[in-house]
Amino acid sequence: MKRSLVLAGLLAATLHSQAFPQKSYGPGVTDTEIRIGQTVPYRGPLSALAIFGRVEAAYLRKINEAGGITGRKVTLISLDDAFSPPKTVEQTRKLVEDNGVLAIVGSTGTPTNLAIAKYLNANKVPQILILASSPKLHDPDNLPWTTTFFMSQAIETKFYADYLLNSKPNAKVAVLYQNDDLGKGNLSAFRTALGAKAPTMIVGEAAYDVVDPTVDSQVVALKASGADTLFHASSPKFAAQSIRKAHELGWKVEHILLSGVSDIPTVLRPAGLEASRGAVTARWVKSLDDPTWADDPDVKDYLAFLKQWMPGETNDDPGAILAYSTAQMMVEVLKNCGDDLSRENLLKQATNVRDLQLPMFLPGVKVNISPNDRIPWRQARMARFDGTQWVYFGDIVSVSTSSD
């Protein structure tokens, strides 16, 4: 009789544990809180990127107000690194060792994230949804705890290389690039995407440092190369300067802009709308200046979010849309963890995303992340600036690279 009771008790306990999985918590998690951290350049030459931290914090406030995630409030500790890799290392160590965060989520910048990747991976701390484009960070073998949430340099530059090879196979291309992993990585990927045509098509290159006051001398030198196309592997401030300077010099050049330097309010308007006319880029998020989306419910939800949760901000910074989408991904991944909020399960959920259509992504641009493939999406539409707005040409295109 006793044996039967014991077996019955064990069976009941097993069924209970299956119906109600045991909670598993990593650092920074309790029954009421999920603590995550990030670094963002709130000061310094690239402080325009601070919009990512502000939007993500606001979105999580919205989620917390509605009850949080599985009853837990999300605490985002967002520290300033001034886009300085040594400062990023210092602040990240503080987040992990002093603040005891579960993970680093949504940190901004390519060179800054590269500076902390080995430290976080060595300590098995998830470094997920980071806003960086370097293929060095898409390395599940050596950086298994790292995932990005930005268009890969290898993917994005192939859009532009394919465009040139198909429409301007005899183009003479000059490249202005930032002297760090952002600029060098995009230049290298662009060369690879052009393939055998790279040596003849690329006729000039010039680098700048983020602390440089202007890139006027670089633009003068590139004009002398005889190029008819200028590829910008740069950041917003310097893209605006170079477009404006080219126009002042009377250099009639077609500007090929990375998506991150294609925003009208932060780049094209400061450069001059007429000076920017004819520029080409790839886009994957809905644009507020595109009348196509004027009555789109998801765009209306986004504008309502800005109005309620970020009343002091303008709604004309397209970078905020990607930040909003990143915050939605944060919530998606954390929700999928359920009560298993261990670092191991957080990484599992962050690397198992299939065909996710985010509200502010263009229809057909879907997020796919797997343990062996960390590139989040591979689709975009090409667009040309008409002096007022970006105008799409062609349908959604998807590209792959030689490394796929």
Side-chain angles (χ1 to χ4, degrees):
M1 182 68 177
K2 285 185 177 180
R3 178 178 171 80
S4 298
L5 289 173
V6 169
L7 289 174
L10 288 172
L11 178 61
T14 300
L15 293 173
H16 184 273
S17 66
Q18 290 175 345
F20 302 97
Q22 294 295 308
K23 295 177 181 179
S24 180
Y25 293 166
V29 181
T30 68
D31 285 348
T32 59
E33 182 189 28
I34 305 170
R35 191 183 316 133
I36 56 177
Q38 65 175 205
T39 58
V40 175
Y42 288 101
R43 297 177 298 109
L46 297 183
S47 59
L49 299 176
I51 187 68
F52 287 97
R54 294 198 300 272
V55 170
E56 289 157 12
Y59 191 83
L60 292 175
R61 286 197 299 273
K62 172 180 178 288
I63 294 297
N64 288 339
E65 185 73 16
I69 297 174
T70 58
R72 302 174 181 90
K73 300 296 177 72
V74 182
T75 300
L76 174 64
I77 305 174
S78 187
L79 301 182
D80 176 37
D81 67 2
F83 207 77
S84 167
K87 186 68 172 176
T88 308
V89 172
E90 175 191 333
Q91 297 287 55
T92 300
R93 283 184 174 274
K94 179 179 179 181
L95 289 166
V96 173
E97 298 168 18
D98 296 341
N99 299 119
V101 297
L102 175 66
I104 299 300
V105 186
S107 284
T108 304
T110 294
T112 48
N113 272 293
L114 282 166
I116 58 175
K118 289 184 179 179
Y119 162 73
L120 293 171
N121 277 262
N123 288 280
K124 297 184 178 181
V125 179
Q127 179 190 22
I128 63 172
L129 300 173
I130 57 175
L131 295 157
S133 58
S134 173
K136 295 177 183 178
L137 293 162
H138 300 137
D139 186 358
D141 290 333
N142 296 303
L143 299 176
W145 293 83
T146 298
T147 76
T148 67
F149 198 67
F150 203 81
M151 180 70 81
S152 162
Q153 292 170 352
I155 297 296
E156 184 170 7
T157 55
K158 195 162 191 311
F159 285 117
Y160 307 129
D162 287 352
Y163 161 73
L164 290 172
L165 292 169
N166 291 327
S167 66
K168 298 174 62 178
N170 297 315
K172 296 179 180 179
V173 185
V175 182
L176 177 69
Y177 67 97
Q178 192 161 291
N179 191 25
D180 59 16
D181 283 291
L182 169 72
K184 292 176 182 177
N186 276 293
L187 172 56
S188 176
F190 184 57
R191 281 201 201 101
T192 299
L194 288 174
K197 294 278 287 183
T200 54
M201 291 183 76
I202 299 178
V203 298
E205 301 171 4
Y208 70 87
D209 294 311
V210 294
V211 295
D212 290 346
T214 75
V215 290
D216 287 359
S217 61
Q218 289 92 331
V219 175
V220 170
L222 290 174
K223 180 179 184 294
S225 71
D228 56 27
T229 305
L230 179 57
F231 175 57
H232 297 255
S234 58
S235 48
K237 169 186 172 182
F238 298 101
Q241 286 184 1
S242 55
I243 294 170
R244 184 171 64 246
K245 185 63 178 179
H247 186 68
E248 292 171 355
L249 294 172
W251 185 15
K252 298 188 182 301
V253 64
E254 181 177 45
H255 297 281
I256 307 294
L257 301 175
L258 290 175
S259 58
V261 296
S262 66
D263 295 344
I264 295 174
T266 58
V267 177
L268 305 189
R269 194 170 293 137
L273 297 181
E274 186 58 35
S276 305
R277 184 187 296 272
V280 170
T281 194
R283 301 181 76 79
W284 55 82
V285 296
K286 297 171 183 176
S287 176
L288 299 184
D289 56 34
D290 184 348
T292 303
W293 311 114
D295 296 318
D296 182 75
D298 294 324
V299 170
K300 289 182 176 180
D301 286 346
Y302 168 71
L303 292 172
F305 158 76
L306 291 179
K307 183 176 181 180
Q308 180 175 354
W309 296 97
M310 302 188 70
E313 299 275 355
T314 63
N315 65 6
D316 63 353
D317 186 341
I321 296 175
L322 182 57
Y324 176 81
S325 299
T326 306
Q328 290 178 322
M329 280 298 301
M330 291 179 185
V331 172
E332 174 80 8
V333 170
L334 289 170
K335 278 185 177 177
N336 289 342
C337 288
D339 281 331
D340 184 354
L341 283 156
S342 61
R343 284 175 168 170
E344 291 77 12
N345 192 44
L346 178 63
L347 179 68
K348 178 182 177 181
Q349 300 306 324
T351 56
N352 284 275
V353 181
R354 184 165 179 79
D355 288 337
L356 178 64
Q357 177 73 61
L358 289 168
M360 291 299 289
F361 274 30
L362 294 177
V365 178
K366 296 185 178 182
V367 179
N368 282 279
I369 308 171
S370 72
N372 296 319
D373 184 357
R374 307 296 176 86
I375 295 175
W377 64 89
R378 298 165 181 267
Q379 306 86 29
R381 287 188 75 181
M382 298 301 294
R384 181 174 284 107
F385 187 65
D386 69 358
T388 302
Q389 65 186 31
W390 287 104
V391 179
Y392 295 118
F393 59 91
D395 297 322
I396 288 281
V397 291
S398 180
V399 301
S400 59
T401 66
S402 58
S403 61
D404 291 340

